[in-house]
Amino acid sequence: MTEKRSFGVYEAFDVLGEGGQGTVYLGRGPDGGQVAIKVLLGQVARDEDARRRFPA
């Protein structure tokens, strides 16, 4: 990944992995700590049961 991406207060810096549900990024939280950010694919994000497994 060559550019930073923002997801709310989180910034993503690198792709950790991609799979059937979406992409996981290495990121940084507002306190500067490292976080993993999972971004669900559109069809998964529309599935209410899938969204429940990943609370915000």
Side-chain angles (χ1 to χ4, degrees), residues 22-39:
T23 303
V24 179
Y25 295 93
L26 173 62
R28 185 170 296 135
D31 65 355
Q34 285 189 345
V35 296
I37 305 164
K38 185 163 192 169
V39 179

Side-chain angles (χ1 to χ4, degrees), residues 2 10 13 16-17 20 22 24 26 28 32 34 37 41-42 44-46 48 52-53:
T2 58
Y10 299 93
F13 295 97
L16 294 176
V24 179
L26 173 62
R28 185 170 296 135
Q34 285 189 345
I37 305 164
L41 294 173
V44 177
R46 287 187 290 277
E48 190 173 322
R52 251 192 301 257
R53 289 188 292 246

Side-chain angles (χ1 to χ4, degrees), residues 3 9 14-15 17 24 27 36 40 44 51 53:
E3 62 186 57
V9 297
D14 200 6
V15 175
V24 179
L40 299 176
V44 177
R51 284 197 318 269
R53 289 188 292 246

